[in-house]
RNA sequence: GAGGUUGUAGCUCAGUUGGUUAGAGCGUCGGAUUGUGGUUCCGAAGGUCGCGGGUUCGAGACCCGUCUUCCUCCCCA
């Protein structure tokens, strides 16, 4: 026997029932995106390595899937680098292309490349798979789909507000009973780093701070010591550990703490505008929380940063995003601030499955099944079948004259609500039997009566 | 990238200190029922025990390698 086929780790097949649910999810996402004025674009699955490398931090670079050069190009391999044990350089000489790691960086490249064809502020959405060479885990895949909205060409904080509204509207429309939209601002984090005299170590600082709720105060201090922060600078951080209460209380305390930092104050001011606007507008199911420990490792964020967590399930963040002032500058277009967010479709799918939030009717892909009683009966049914399809209902004729038992079982398995039976005598009389599969009841109808009923169903 | 864990029928899983012919439930197929499904009863098919190597008279079980699963870390959606 041939060996059982498998697919690579971290990837999945989707059965019809799963695709139906995923499409349900995508449809709601698209609907909201479109309503806020975003238009869809698509970009290639893979980019030049130079486009992607270096944009996500060291950790991110490691997780980028690289595409091996093909054909004669393989001869370009830098064997000296290999001999010198310089593996990154050796790898680069083997590969010039890589699968996209997210949709934001390819989008920045897209904007720069097509800047003459775009009207700014440019608003786009993009729903496509991305790939990460990560260790698979619960809610973590090597191939997964992101749903991104981004706008570039405006610094207006109205877009921060808009992104929060989109989070709230999409997730509420999907039926999530509750979720936290966490917000922070990189400028606040920069201000803190500046104040403690470690302005150039902001990444190490934020990564450690990010773990506060996981490893606790002492854990953060230990990590900072390990990273080489001086006890003196760490001491200056400790007031932050006491930060508690609601958003206003946290902001007030932080206002005093950051009094001497211009950039920190700016971050606070931005945050306040956004929080006030949202407070005035209100949210449906979402809860907006200022979370100072929210850091996000992606190093292109410069202003607001977001992360969303679903309530009632054990799952990492289901959405993320933030403002980036310099991303297009990396590709040669300066002074173009952007902000964007991403919905992790696969994690949201998992959350919805766990909470049983998908409508049951999604599995119904066929409304009417015509039973096949034989060659001449089938030919007769075919004409009626065409009319049912013209009305707009999904309908089909069973392909062979199997036992009725088998045909009904097929209808049952496919959750078909109505089965039509036309035997020899019925065909002659222009009559048919319509069986309701849910109630089991059956009625005799003329063909005209049946078609009228189909129109009502549609 | 570090550590741990898992893999036996289509699916979920049993399988004792290594010992003849590897089991169950569900599902599938056939029949009870030749034009009536979802329930019931009877019967059948379906396995190089993830893959490769090793130890042994003998391996599903022990050892090594490899792939895969899930978990913790790292990072993230």
């Amino acid at each position: 026997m041939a060996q059982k086929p498998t697919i690579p780790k971290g990837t999945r097949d989707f059965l019809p029932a799963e695709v139906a649910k995923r499409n349900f999810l995508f449809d709601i996402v698209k609907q909201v995106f479109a309503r806020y004025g975003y238009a869809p674009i698509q970009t290639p699955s893979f980019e030049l390595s130079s486009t992607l490398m270096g944009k996500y931090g060291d950790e991110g670079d490691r997780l980028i899937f690289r595409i091996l050069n093909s054909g004669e190009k393989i001869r370009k391999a830098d064997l000296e680098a290999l001999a010198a044990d310089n593996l990154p350089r050796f790898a680069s000489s083997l590969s010039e292309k890589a699968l996209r790691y997210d949709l934001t960086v390819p989008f920045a490249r897209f904007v720069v490349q097509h800047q003459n064809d775009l009207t700014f502020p440019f608003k786009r959405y993009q729903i496509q798979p991305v790939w990460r060479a990560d260790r698979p885990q619960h809610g973590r895949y090597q191939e997964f789909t992101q749903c991104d909205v981004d706008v570039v060409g405006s610094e207006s904080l109205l877009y921060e507000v808009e992104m929060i509204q989109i989070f709230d509207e999409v997730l509420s429309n999907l039926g999530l009973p509750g979720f936290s939209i966490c917000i922070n601002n990189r400028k606040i984090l920069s201000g803190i780093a500046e104040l403690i005299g470690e302005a150039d170590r902001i990444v190490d600082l934020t990564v450690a701070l990010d773990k506060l709720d996981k490893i606790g105060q002492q854990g953060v201090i230990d990590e900072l010591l390990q990273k080489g922060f001086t006890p003196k600078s760490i001491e200056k951080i400790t007031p932050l550990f006491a930060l508690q209460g609601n958003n206003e209380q946290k902001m007030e305390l932080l206002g005093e703490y950051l009094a001497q930092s211009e950039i920190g104050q700016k971050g606070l001011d931005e945050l306040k505008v956004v929080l006030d606007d949202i407070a005035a507008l209100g949210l449906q199911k979402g809860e907006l929380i200022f979370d100072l420990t929210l850091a996000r490792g992606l190093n292109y964020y410069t202003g607001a940063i977001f992360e969303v967590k679903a309530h009632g399930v054990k799952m990492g963040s289901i959405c993320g995003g933030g403002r980036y002032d310099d991303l297009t500058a990396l590709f040669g277009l300066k002074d173009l601030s952007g902000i964007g967010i991403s919905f992790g479709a696969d994690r949201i799918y998992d959350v919805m499955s766990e909470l049983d939030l998908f409508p049951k009717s999604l599995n119904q892909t066929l409304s009417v099944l015509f039973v096949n009683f034989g060659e001449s009966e089938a030919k007769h049914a075919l004409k009626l079948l065409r009319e049912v399809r013209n009305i707009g209902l999904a309908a089909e004729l069973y392909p062979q004259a199997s036992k009725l038992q088998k045909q009904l079982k097929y209808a049952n398995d496919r959750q078909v609500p109505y089965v039509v039976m036309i035997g020899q005598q019925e065909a002659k009389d222009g009559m048919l039997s319509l069986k309701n599969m849910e109630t089991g009841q059956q009625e005799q109808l003329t063909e005209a009566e049946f078609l009228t009923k189909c129109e009502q169903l549609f």
Side-chain angles (χ1 to χ4, degrees), chain A residues 416-431:
Chain A
V416 181
Y418 291 101
V419 170
V420 172
M421 284 171 274
I422 313 174
Q424 217 166 26
Q425 190 58 44
E426 286 162 318
K428 210 176 285 175
D429 301 341
M431 299 292 290

Side-chain angles (χ1 to χ4, degrees), chain A residues 22 86 91 93 188 205 221 231 255 285 294 305 307 342 371:
Chain A
R22 286 169 66 83
N86 186 343
S93 71
I188 294 176
L205 175 68
I221 291 173
K285 298 279 173 57
L294 172 60
I305 41 184
E307 207 163 282
S342 177
V371 171

Side-chain angles (χ1 to χ4, degrees), chain A residues 8 13 30-31 34 46 89 108 116 123 136-137 152 160 226 236 249 253 281 316 318 326 333 337 382 387 401 420 436:
Chain A
D13 287 325
K30 282 183 204 165
Q31 200 183 6
F46 52 94
R89 203 172 132 203
N116 292 332
K123 304 174 82 171
Q137 247 175 74
V152 292
E160 267 78 349
Q226 204 188 347
K236 287 187 188 159
Q249 289 167 323
L253 281 168
L281 287 163
I318 54 175
D326 303 317
L333 184 57
S337 183
L382 230 32
E387 298 195 42
V420 172
N436 181 326

Side-chain angles (χ1 to χ4, degrees), chain A residues 3 46 141 161 221 223 250 260 285 317 349:
Chain A
Q3 194 183 328
F46 52 94
Y141 307 99
V161 174
I221 291 173
E223 173 151 343
K250 286 188 215 165
Q260 301 304 314
K285 298 279 173 57
S317 56
Y349 178 98

Side-chain angles (χ1 to χ4, degrees), chain A residues 5 45 56 141 231 238-239 317 339 357 360 371 373 389 414 456:
Chain A
S45 303
Y56 307 102
Y141 307 99
T238 48
S317 56
I339 178 169
L357 300 177
K360 297 282 173 290
V371 171
F373 284 115
R389 284 173 174 162
R414 288 210 42 192
Q456 286 165 358

Side-chain angles (χ1 to χ4, degrees), chain A residues 293-310:
Chain A
T293 68
L294 172 60
R296 299 189 61 74
L298 272 61
N299 56 13
Y300 49 67
Y301 291 120
T302 53
I305 41 184
F306 303 109
E307 207 163 282
V308 179
K309 288 199 155 192

Side-chain angles (χ1 to χ4, degrees), chain A residues 322-336:
Chain A
R323 179 170 288 277
Y324 42 88
D325 286 328
D326 303 317
L327 194 49
T328 58
L330 294 174
F331 299 109
L333 184 57
K334 286 181 189 164
D335 299 322
L336 201 63

